Amino acid sequence: MEKKKIILTGDRPTGKLHIGHYVGSLRRRVELQNSGQFDKIFIFEADGQALTDNIDNPEKVRQNVIEVALDYLACGIDPAKSTIFIQSQIPELCELTFYFMDLVTVSRLQRNPTVKTEIQMRNFETSIPVGFFTYPISQAADITAFKATTVPVGEDQEPMLEQAREIVRRFNHIYGETLVEPEILLPDNAACLRLPGTDGKAKMSKSLGNCIYLSDTADEVEKKIRSMYTDPDHLKVSDPGKVEGNTVFTYLDAFSRPEHFARYLPDYADLDELKAHYRRGGLGDVKVKRFLSAVMQEELEPIRTRRKEFEQDIPAVYDMLKKGCEVAREAAAETLSEVRRAMKIDYFDDEALIAEQAARFAKQ
Ligand code: TRP
């Protein structure tokens, strides 16, 4: 039998999703979902993981669970094709994490580059919550409980996947072939790996106020693009400009397609021609921004409209999530029963065990 192809990926519900999430992963998920190449697709909200560094702010996570669900639906994640669920509602994930804890050393976690950076970013220093420190283990459980083969995420998640693969190898080595080693699936366009903020800063983040949200209105998007960071040395239209590190061009790399030029900027055949003109000088920021705006509005408009539609029936969205949790739970429970059997902790399901023990004690 050929191995099933199963996708699993998710997001922490700590805020509404922005276009960085969109080009870095959401857009791809929808393509993968509609490709028909996968047997199962699981997309989930990692609320438990979100709580590892928001433990005193449960309301933030609670509010954002519905926002993220709306963003998913708006982008075209279809509950008929993908199971959307919430991490905390699947207790099997805690159980698997508990077993995995024994397969990972403290020093291995300390070397995880993502954990290292995140600890620095949060100024945890010596007061790191244990749950935060060990979240790569719980993330490995998220992935393996569903026997995911394919995990579409951004490159910042690479160390997480590496750690998950190590855990799977260790588990299977000790207990026999049970779990599946997942593969990472990175965005195919370099600009999409990490979309900078509108201010040119490396990361789009709510606290920096440099995000364009999927739920922003057309006006908000327009304004944000108008004030976007470009090349600070490109003062006059006639000045030669830099394309590298110029946010407007990075966004065009992520969003524009050749057909957009025919539609909105027919003087140029493609993005290379536009970049060449900007580099030479004689092309103003305003013109490029107008083009970017047309391109982005075209892509974001249908998302916005669909979001508004789903917002009209919030109880239905919760119902969809609840059903997703039920489906996900069944899948995780199946893996967990295999895990318990492999780990020899299935005492009451193994009739042979009881008979064996009875015979052993009868001999004494
Ligand atoms: N750590 C991921 C993020 O911050 C979210 C996440 C949790 C995840 N568990 C996962 C992603 C499992 C993929 C697979 O975006």
Side-chain angles (χ1 to χ4, degrees), residues 8-12 44 46 49 135 139 142-143 151 153 157:
L8 177 127
T9 187
D11 303 276
R12 298 180 191 177
F44 81 112
Q49 190 176 107
Y135 92 74
Q139 185 153 337
D142 298 337
I143 297 167
V151 182
V153 280
Q157 296 296 307

Side-chain angles (χ1 to χ4, degrees), residues 225 228 230 234 246-250 252 261 265 268 271 274-275 277-278 283-295:
I225 293 174
M228 205 174 227
T230 58
H234 184 244
N246 183 326
T247 317
V248 176
F249 280 97
T250 310
L252 283 174
F261 284 87
L265 208 58
Y268 302 86
L271 189 53
L274 190 72
K275 284 181 178 173
H277 191 186
Y278 194 82
L283 175 58
D285 282 347
V286 174
K287 187 164 175 183
V288 188
K289 283 180 175 177
R290 268 205 209 114
F291 175 58
L292 175 64
S293 181
V295 166

Side-chain angles (χ1 to χ4, degrees), residues 32-203:
L32 294 167
Q33 168 193 272
N34 297 336
S35 73
Q37 285 178 17
F38 292 87
D39 298 288
K40 285 189 207 165
I41 301 170
F42 294 99
I43 298 183
F44 81 112
E45 301 202 38
D47 60 340
Q49 190 176 107
L51 284 167
T52 61
D53 63 333
N54 283 289
I55 202 64
D56 53 357
N57 200 355
E59 199 53 43
K60 170 168 149 190
V61 175
R62 186 183 181 82
Q63 296 299 326
N64 282 306
V65 162
I66 187 73
E67 296 283 1
V68 170
L70 286 166
D71 286 330
Y72 283 169
L73 295 168
C75 286
I77 292 174
D78 176 358
K81 297 179 186 156
S82 303
T83 302
I84 306 177
F85 70 96
I86 307 172
Q87 184 186 37
S88 62
Q89 306 307 299
I90 318 296
E92 285 77 7
L93 297 178
C94 300
E95 186 181 346
L96 192 54
T97 304
F98 180 57
Y99 303 141
F100 281 177
M101 293 258 187
D102 299 320
L103 301 175
V104 180
T105 62
V106 170
S107 64
R108 174 63 182 86
L109 277 175
Q110 278 166 335
R111 279 196 316 267
N112 184 311
T114 311
V115 176
K116 260 197 197 161
T117 343
E118 291 191 341
I119 285 173
Q120 273 166 5
M121 260 162 50
R122 286 168 178 74
N123 299 318
F124 279 149
E125 277 133 32
T126 53
S127 54
I128 309 160
V130 174
F132 182 85
F133 180 62
T134 56
Y135 92 74
I137 304 177
S138 120
Q139 185 153 337
D142 298 337
I143 297 167
T144 52
F146 299 94
K147 301 214 166 145
T149 52
T150 313
V151 182
V153 280
E155 64 176 343
D156 61 315
Q157 296 296 307
E158 225 157 1
M160 295 294 150
L161 264 288
E162 200 38 55
Q163 183 128 40
R165 294 163 63 86
E166 274 175 39
I167 291 174
V168 170
R169 286 198 288 268
R170 186 105 204 276
F171 187 101
N172 288 349
H173 177 74
I174 301 172
Y175 303 114
E177 212 52 43
T178 313
L179 300 172
V180 177
E181 257 189 67
E183 307 269 354
I184 192 168
L185 188 62
L186 293 168
D188 43 12
N189 171 336
C192 298
L193 281 174
R194 174 152 293 190
L195 204 66
T198 51
D199 57 358
K201 296 228 170 72
K203 203 174 145 68

Side-chain angles (χ1 to χ4, degrees), residues 298-361:
E298 181 183 311
E299 187 132 352
L300 296 178
E301 182 55 35
I303 296 175
R304 228 163 8 227
T305 310
R306 263 198 309 266
R307 202 181 198 276
K308 280 267 165 295
E309 282 164 24
F310 286 109
E311 284 170 8
Q312 301 310 305
D313 195 356
I314 294 296
V317 178
Y318 277 105
D319 198 49
M320 175 283 292
L321 286 171
K322 190 172 172 211
K323 293 210 171 83
C325 289
E326 283 161 16
V327 172
R329 191 154 182 208
E330 222 169 277
E334 209 175 298
T335 306
L336 259 292
S337 74
E338 290 168 32
V339 162
R340 285 186 219 109
R341 196 176 328 128
M343 293 182 72
K344 300 189 176 293
I345 52 177
D346 60 335
Y347 311 110
F348 309 121
D349 300 328
D350 185 0
E351 277 173 32
L353 167 72
I354 302 170
E356 260 165 43
Q357 298 298 339
R360 182 162 76 87
F361 283 98

